[in-house]
Amino acid sequence: MPRAVRERQMLDAAVSTFGQRGYRAASMDEIAELAGVSKPLVYLYLNSKEDLFTACIRREAKALTEAVRAGVRPGLPADRQLWEGLRAFFTHTAENPDGWAVLHLQARTHGEPFAAEVTAMREELVVFVTQLIVVAAREAHRDPSLPEREVAGLAEALVGAAESLAAWANATPGVSAKQAAATLMNFAWAGLGDLMEGRPWSPPVAEGQTE
Amino acid sequence: MPRAVRERQMLDAAVSTFGQRGYRAASMDEIAELAGVSKPLVYLYLNSKEDLFTACIRREAKALTEAVRAGVRPGLPADRQLWEGLRAFFTHTAENPDGWAVLHLQARTHGEPFAAEVTAMREELVVFVTQLIVVAAREAHRDPSLPEREVAGLAEALVGAAESLAAWANATPGVSAKQAAATLMNFAWAGLGDLMEGRPWSPPVAEGQTE
């Protein structure tokens, strides 16, 4: 079996174990058993529990940011791009709950340098959202009246809201990725005020995406 | 000197040290020195570094939730209550950056049971925001069309956005508590869509609060 395939099996097993049992409680024995390999082979390939955890964080962070970028079709109006980005984000976190638990909970609760890996991913998402907001402002010809700092704050707020909602959606039975994305779209785009007045932002029908 | 006063001095010193240097890097020696007491006295009063850290988290969590509750005058319209709550939240986190660093970063990055203490505080804030949204929905006579689950999601989003913005505001020179609160109010109430159309939510003038 090629090394790349074996390594992927080990990382799959490690993400499941770290995500479900937590970084401290997870043992290299159970990760090796779940991956169907010997423990010395895990150490040979990934060096240590710390390095294995770091490799998990990097892989899951890359997969999440790539899913969000791939989900957004450039050229659409900004609200459609935001909707597609949110759909991609919540679909990915719902389909990879162990990966999201590693990124959102485990990587942040076991000190540096793990937390720094997640911070880097987060900054990439903030930059991505910032660009979306700048494009939206340009479309609405509001460029001069929406200062850079306000845009940066809005992007931070949106990313924080998405992180919080993804954790809640994964912990709450019956909340679908589409529902979570629609909730945040209402919150972020139409705003609570408009929502209260019965003017929610509505997802486009027949957009060619699956439920 | 009464025990309560000494203990408060120790906790003040511990919050500063944990917040600025991090839980792992902070030493009991420097906490004792900053508090102006002997190290054995710190151990006598607070038992261990873990117990001291837990006491810091509990005190700062209590202070933050009390500040938010005290900042909101019941009986006002929901958007005013939300604005006052956000003002109180961002004012408190700006005035207590070490306390906020302990809650938002340190308590979450050093495993259980510290993370559980912050989760409890967070749930209290979510319940508080949920009530505000329910009241707003009732004011707008939208009760039947705003399902409980949607309200819960909006509250999670708002709390996540506030946490994210507070960390950003404290790390970004020149961002005031009022600016951070206004950014989130725009985001949460008027919504990005309205903001782009030049219809931001505006804070009331002459509301009797200081800048």
Side-chain angles (χ1 to χ4, degrees):
Chain A
M1 198 178 283
R3 179 174 174 136
V5 176
R6 272 221 193 287
E7 208 170 294
R8 185 163 53 74
Q9 286 175 338
M10 291 179 197
L11 286 174
D12 287 345
V15 168
S16 296
T17 311
F18 287 137
Q20 286 172 33
R21 305 197 4 87
Y23 175 62
R24 294 249 164 87
S27 77
M28 294 296 264
D29 282 305
E30 63 189 315
I31 291 169
E33 197 185 327
L34 189 60
V37 299
S38 69
K39 191 161 78 165
L41 196 66
V42 178
Y43 279 106
L44 181 68
Y45 276 28
L46 277 318
N47 196 43
S48 65
K49 189 178 175 184
E50 289 73 22
D51 286 357
L52 177 58
F53 190 48
T54 302
C56 289
I57 297 169
R58 286 192 185 152
R59 189 182 78 164
E60 296 304 312
K62 187 161 176 279
L64 176 57
T65 50
E66 283 179 358
V68 171
R69 288 188 181 277
V72 176
R73 285 170 292 175
L76 291 182
D79 66 332
R80 288 293 301 277
Q81 287 196 40
L82 181 60
W83 169 243
E84 293 190 345
L86 291 176
R87 284 292 298 271
F89 177 83
F90 287 107
T91 300
H92 187 86
T93 54
E95 286 174 353
N96 301 277
D98 295 335
W100 178 244
V102 164
L103 292 177
H104 184 63
L105 296 176
Q106 295 302 322
R108 300 214 272 203
T109 55
H110 298 287
E112 301 292 354
F114 307 133
E117 295 283 341
V118 177
T119 301
M121 175 200 73
R122 198 176 191 285
E123 278 169 10
E124 198 179 328
L125 287 175
V126 167
V127 166
F128 186 67
V129 171
T130 300
Q131 286 166 344
L132 270 188
I133 296 174
V134 167
V135 168
R138 198 173 300 140
E139 281 173 7
H141 308 291
R142 301 262 314 150
D143 249 339
S145 48
L146 202 61
E148 201 176 314
R149 179 153 293 176
E150 178 83 359
V151 172
L154 290 168
E156 286 284 340
L158 190 88
V159 170
E163 289 171 338
S164 176
L165 259 186
W168 171 79
N170 280 2
T172 309
V175 176
S176 71
K178 190 177 181 181
Q179 284 168 335
T183 293
L184 188 48
M185 195 68 200
N186 265 326
F187 182 66
W189 201 265
L192 272 177
D194 275 13
L195 195 59
M196 296 305 165
E197 298 297 325
R199 297 193 302 268
W201 184 90
S202 303
V205 285
E207 59 179 327
Q209 292 196 13
T210 54
E211 290 295 295
Chain B
M1 196 178 286
R3 177 173 175 136
V5 175
R6 273 221 191 285
E7 207 168 296
R8 186 162 52 74
Q9 287 174 338
M10 291 179 197
L11 285 174
D12 287 344
V15 168
S16 296
T17 310
F18 288 137
Q20 287 171 33
R21 306 199 0 91
Y23 174 62
R24 295 248 163 89
S27 77
M28 294 297 264
D29 282 303
E30 62 187 316
I31 291 169
E33 196 185 325
L34 188 61
V37 299
S38 69
K39 193 161 78 165
L41 196 66
V42 179
Y43 279 105
L44 182 69
Y45 276 27
L46 277 317
N47 195 45
S48 66
K49 188 177 174 184
E50 289 72 23
D51 285 357
L52 177 58
F53 190 47
T54 302
C56 289
I57 297 168
R58 285 193 184 152
R59 188 182 78 164
E60 295 305 312
K62 188 161 176 278
L64 176 57
T65 50
E66 283 180 358
V68 171
R69 287 188 181 279
V72 176
R73 285 170 291 174
L76 291 182
D79 66 332
R80 289 292 303 275
Q81 287 196 41
L82 181 60
W83 170 243
E84 292 190 346
L86 291 176
R87 284 292 299 271
F89 177 83
F90 287 106
T91 300
H92 187 87
T93 54
E95 285 173 354
N96 301 275
D98 295 335
W100 179 243
V102 163
L103 291 176
H104 184 63
L105 296 176
Q106 295 303 322
R108 300 214 271 203
T109 56
H110 297 288
E112 303 292 353
F114 306 133
E117 295 283 341
V118 177
T119 301
M121 174 201 72
R122 199 177 190 283
E123 277 169 10
E124 197 179 330
L125 288 175
V126 167
V127 166
F128 185 68
V129 171
T130 300
Q131 286 166 343
L132 269 188
I133 296 175
V134 168
V135 168
R138 199 173 299 139
E139 281 174 6
H141 308 291
R142 304 261 315 151
D143 248 339
S145 49
L146 204 59
E148 200 176 315
R149 179 152 292 174
E150 178 83 0
V151 172
L154 290 169
E156 286 285 340
L158 190 88
V159 169
E163 289 171 338
S164 177
L165 260 185
W168 172 79
N170 280 2
T172 309
V175 176
S176 71
K178 189 177 182 183
Q179 283 169 335
T183 292
L184 189 49
M185 195 66 200
N186 263 325
F187 183 66
W189 201 266
L192 272 178
D194 276 12
L195 194 59
M196 296 303 163
E197 298 297 325
R199 297 194 300 268
W201 185 91
S202 302
V205 286
E207 59 180 328
Q209 292 197 13
T210 53
E211 290 293 295

